Amino acid sequence: MITKISCLTILLMPFIQVNDICHPLSEQDSTETPIKKGKIGELTITTLGIEAMPLLRFKTGDMMKALTRPCSCGRTTLRLGPIAGRKKQMIKYKGTTLYPPAMENILNNFNTLECFVIEISHNAIGTDEILIRIASANPTDQLLGQIKDHFRAKLRVTPMIEWTDKNVIDTLRFPKLSRKPILVIDKRK
C-alpha cells in the first residue's frame, strides 16, 4: 500500500525540491556507485513511503546534477538541477562526456546558420565520432572558425564540422514517415 502519492514537488523552476518520502540517487554507468558531489549522474528514485517489500528503484534515464547547497527559500533538502540529457544519448568524445542538447544550444546561437544535423557514429576502433553538417547562405571559413571556437569554449572539444548543401541536410532531417525534424542521427546502434 502506498502511503504518499507524490514524491517530487516542484518548488522553484528549473530545480526540483525532493522531500523525505523519495530519495533520489545519482549513479554513474551501471556500476550502482554514487557519483561524486557536483558531477552529472543518472537519476534513480527509491520510494521509501511504501509499506510493502521489495523496495522499488526507478532508473529514469535522465542525467542531472544533485544540488546540495541551501535553496534561496531557506530549505536545505536535496534539489535536482536541470536535465543535461538522456543516458542513451550520452556521447564519450575525446575523453569528454557530451549530450546532443548542449551541441544544439551552441549551434542555435548562430543566426546565420540555416540548418544543421548532428551525426554520431563509431570509428574503426569503436570510439564515438561526431560529424556536424551545417548550411548557411554565406558559408565562410571565418564563420566556421567562430563555431569551432564556441565548441572549444563551451564543451572543451571540437567535433568535425563540415559545410553541406541545405537540400542534403533537409533530406537527412526529414526522413519519410517523420512528422518532425530529426536533429541528431545516431548511427551507433
Side-chain angles (χ1 to χ4, degrees), residues 9-77:
T9 56
I10 297 176
L11 183 65
L12 294 172
M13 293 304 286
F15 304 112
I16 297 175
Q17 194 88 31
V18 180
N19 67 16
D20 295 332
I21 302 304
C22 177
H23 288 267
L25 172 68
S26 293
E27 297 177 320
Q28 192 170 24
D29 299 333
S30 59
T31 60
E32 304 282 329
T33 28
I35 62 162
K36 294 180 178 139
K37 195 183 238 184
K39 298 290 182 186
I40 294 178
E42 181 182 7
L43 175 65
T44 303
I45 298 173
T46 305
T47 54
L48 300 177
I50 58 174
E51 295 175 2
M53 291 299 273
L55 292 176
L56 298 177
R57 297 181 73 206
F58 177 67
K59 291 187 174 196
T60 63
D62 294 330
M63 303 300 287
M64 59 180 47
K65 287 183 186 178
L67 305 173
T68 54
R69 67 182 185 274
C71 183
S72 59
C73 71
R75 286 191 175 189
T76 57
T77 56

Side-chain angles (χ1 to χ4, degrees), residues 106-107 110 113 134 143-151 161:
I106 291 172
L107 293 167
F110 290 92
L113 291 181
I134 56 175
L143 178 59
L144 186 62
Q146 289 174 348
I147 294 170
K148 287 182 177 183
D149 288 343
H150 266 67
F151 269 96
I161 303 172

Side-chain angles (χ1 to χ4, degrees), residues 123-175:
N123 60 17
I125 60 172
T127 59
D128 292 343
E129 284 293 327
I130 303 170
L131 170 64
I132 300 175
R133 298 176 185 271
I134 56 175
S136 176
N138 300 317
T140 64
D141 288 337
Q142 181 183 2
L143 178 59
L144 186 62
Q146 289 174 348
I147 294 170
K148 287 182 177 183
D149 288 343
H150 266 67
F151 269 96
R152 244 180 259 114
K154 302 281 185 185
L155 301 178
R156 296 182 309 248
V157 292
T158 306
M160 190 180 344
I161 303 172
E162 67 179 31
W163 293 111
T164 307
D165 184 59
K166 184 180 184 310
N167 295 328
V168 173
I169 294 176
D170 284 341
T171 304
L172 293 170
R173 288 178 61 203
F174 297 101

Side-chain angles (χ1 to χ4, degrees), residues 78-137:
L78 179 70
R79 292 178 300 140
L80 304 176
I83 296 172
R86 301 282 300 163
K87 187 172 184 178
K88 289 183 180 180
Q89 293 178 334
M90 185 170 64
I91 307 162
K92 292 278 190 169
Y93 184 69
K94 296 183 179 178
T96 302
T97 302
L98 302 174
Y99 297 95
M103 292 186 281
E104 291 171 22
N105 288 340
I106 291 172
L107 293 167
N108 285 331
N109 285 331
F110 290 92
N111 296 331
T112 55
L113 291 181
E114 292 179 349
C115 59
F116 64 87
V117 68
I118 301 167
E119 294 181 1
I120 307 163
S121 61
H122 285 305
N123 60 17
I125 60 172
T127 59
D128 292 343
E129 284 293 327
I130 303 170
L131 170 64
I132 300 175
R133 298 176 185 271
I134 56 175
S136 176

